[in-house]
């Protein structure tokens, strides 16, 4: 069976815009990314597409496939083809670099602002850790699902606020802010809440929920945003408890037979 691909093109240097049509054979296991790479290698080398891991981990290959946001490397052509046709477009609501490649630099700059890492007051210990921090399975579950975000940007494609406000802290950024705020090891909640409670932050979200439908990893950014609003309101009325980050685990006790275990002989060459 042959499949027709209509691929959105944009090459600013030569003023190229619109859809190009390519026909390729549907083979067993063919993903949309495989098909685009086949087109690039065998039919039209000017086609640009971004990818890296080819296994749904790096988040590079997000695009709109037959009207729906998805990862091209994770989408089987046979599952999405309609009447022998597949239409492929870049993620909307982001600046376009070329063809299917969008510019994520403004997203990464906002991501940096929310400090997406565990912050500790004791910087000395954090720079030179000796042991891991304590965390119970229940504490892990507080943020686990939000840590599955791969920053593909597909949530941005479905966000009505991102489509009209380029300064908006996109769903993935706000979800990551929440993820670190509720991590029991973290002590940077105040800093993050200050960033996301400003204009273009969490209160600009309309709660359309499109971000959660679009996420290919099952993350629920819409929920994280509402929980983040709750943290900010609790802080405003003085109900947010002061948070002390988890302690580090104690040194492993040395057993009574410590000195009785024979050391292995030194290796001779
Ligand atoms: Fe890495 Fe698709 S190439 S997620």
């Amino acid at each position: 069976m042959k499949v027709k691909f209509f691929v959105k093109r944009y090459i600013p240097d030569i003023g190229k815009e619109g859809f190009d049509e390519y026909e390729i054979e549907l083979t067993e296991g063919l993903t949309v990314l495989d098909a685009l790479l086949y087109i690039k290698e065998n039919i039209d080398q000017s086609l640009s597409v971004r990818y890296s891991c080819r296994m749904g981990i790096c988040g590079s290959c997000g695009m709109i496939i037959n009207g729906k946001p998805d990862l091209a490397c994770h989408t089987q052509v046979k599952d999405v083809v309609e009447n022998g046709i597949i239409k492929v477009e870049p993620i909307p609501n982001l600046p376009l670099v070329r063809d299917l490649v969008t510019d994520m630099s403004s997203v990464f700059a906002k991501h940096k602002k929310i400090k997406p890492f565990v912050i500790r007051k004791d910087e000395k210990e954090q720079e030179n850790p000796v042991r891991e921090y304590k965390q119970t399975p229940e504490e892990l579950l507080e943020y686990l699902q939000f840590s599955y975000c791969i920053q593909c940007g597909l949530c941005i494609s479905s966000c009505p606020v991102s489509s009209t406000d380029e300064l908006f802290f996109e769903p993935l950024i706000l979800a990551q802010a929440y993820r670190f705020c509720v991590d029991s090891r973290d002590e940077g909640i105040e800093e993050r809440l200050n960033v996301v409670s400003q204009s273009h932050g969490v209160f600009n979200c309309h709660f359309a929920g499109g971000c959660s439908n679009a996420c290919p990893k099952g993350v629920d950014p819409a929920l994280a945003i509402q929980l983040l609003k709750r943290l900010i309101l609790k802080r405003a009325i003085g109900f947010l408890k002061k948070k002390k980050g988890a302690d580090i685990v104690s040194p492993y006790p040395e057993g009574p037979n410590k000195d009785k275990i024979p050391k292995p002989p030194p290796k001779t060459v």
Side-chain angles (χ1 to χ4, degrees):
M1 175 189 166
K2 297 258 187 212
V3 178
K4 266 194 188 145
F5 276 79
F6 288 91
V7 182
K8 185 90 182 278
R9 304 299 309 273
Y10 171 68
I11 307 181
D13 326 349
I14 57 168
K16 185 176 174 67
E17 272 189 77
F19 283 90
D20 274 351
E21 183 183 328
Y22 308 97
E23 194 171 63
I24 67 168
E25 190 68 35
L26 173 60
T27 50
E28 184 61 33
L30 187 77
T31 65
V32 171
L33 181 62
D34 292 336
L36 293 169
L37 294 179
Y38 178 87
I39 292 167
K40 184 169 177 65
E41 281 163 23
N42 299 284
I43 307 174
D44 183 350
Q45 293 180 354
S46 71
L47 179 65
S48 293
V49 55
R50 181 167 52 209
Y51 69 101
S52 179
C53 70
R54 303 178 76 162
M55 54 200 293
I57 291 173
C58 72
S60 306
C61 67
M63 55 188 73
I64 305 297
I65 302 165
N66 272 354
K68 294 194 187 120
D70 217 331
L71 298 172
C73 71
H74 202 242
T75 306
Q76 290 285 318
V77 170
K78 70 174 171 36
D79 292 343
V80 290
V81 65
E82 285 171 14
N83 303 321
I85 289 173
I86 289 193
K87 197 164 133 193
V88 186
E89 299 162 89
I91 298 176
N93 306 337
L94 284 171
L96 202 47
V97 178
R98 185 176 157 136
D99 295 337
L100 300 169
V101 182
T102 48
D103 182 358
M104 297 281 286
S105 49
S106 66
V107 179
F108 296 144
K110 288 175 210 158
H111 192 228
K112 207 171 160 188
K113 281 191 189 162
I114 57 114
K115 301 198 175 173
F117 45 84
V118 169
I119 298 173
R120 299 285 293 191
K121 298 231 158 68
D122 184 353
E123 284 178 17
K124 217 165 128 202
E125 197 282 329
Q126 195 175 15
E127 291 302 318
N128 298 291
V130 284
R131 285 179 298 279
E132 66 269 36
Y133 298 114
K134 286 179 189 168
Q135 188 162 72
T136 64
E138 292 73 30
E139 288 167 338
L140 172 69
L141 287 176
E142 285 289 312
Y143 68 84
L144 184 62
Q145 72 126 316
F146 305 112
S147 69
Y148 294 143
C149 172
I150 55 171
Q151 296 173 30
C152 59
L154 288 174
C155 55
I156 301 170
S157 73
S158 307
C159 173
V161 185
S162 299
S163 72
T164 53
D165 179 2
E166 61 180 25
L167 299 177
F168 178 57
F169 277 67
E170 288 93 355
L172 69 115
I173 308 294
L174 296 173
Q176 287 308 291
Y178 179 75
R179 175 251 175 275
F180 284 98
C181 282
V182 294
D183 189 320
S184 62
R185 300 163 297 179
D186 182 75
E187 294 177 330
I189 185 167
E190 291 288 336
E191 292 174 51
R192 287 196 203 90
L193 293 188
N194 288 343
V195 174
V196 299
S197 58
Q198 290 169 7
S199 55
H200 308 288
V202 75
F203 291 103
N204 284 50
C205 167
H206 296 175
F207 199 20
C211 52
S212 301
N213 284 334
C215 180
K217 303 303 277 187
V219 180
D220 190 350
L223 172 66
I225 294 170
Q226 307 323 303
L227 295 173
L228 205 47
K229 287 178 185 169
R230 185 169 72 174
L231 288 181
I232 294 167
L233 292 175
K234 273 172 110 175
R235 183 175 73 156
I237 57 175
F239 274 37
L240 190 64
K241 285 192 200 127
K242 280 259 174 276
K243 189 173 158 202
K244 182 186 169 316
D247 295 327
I248 52 175
V249 296
S250 326
Y252 297 112
E254 289 179 348
N257 293 328
K258 178 184 163 263
D259 295 327
K260 292 183 193 153
I261 299 172
K263 289 196 173 70
K267 271 191 186 159
T268 50
V269 184

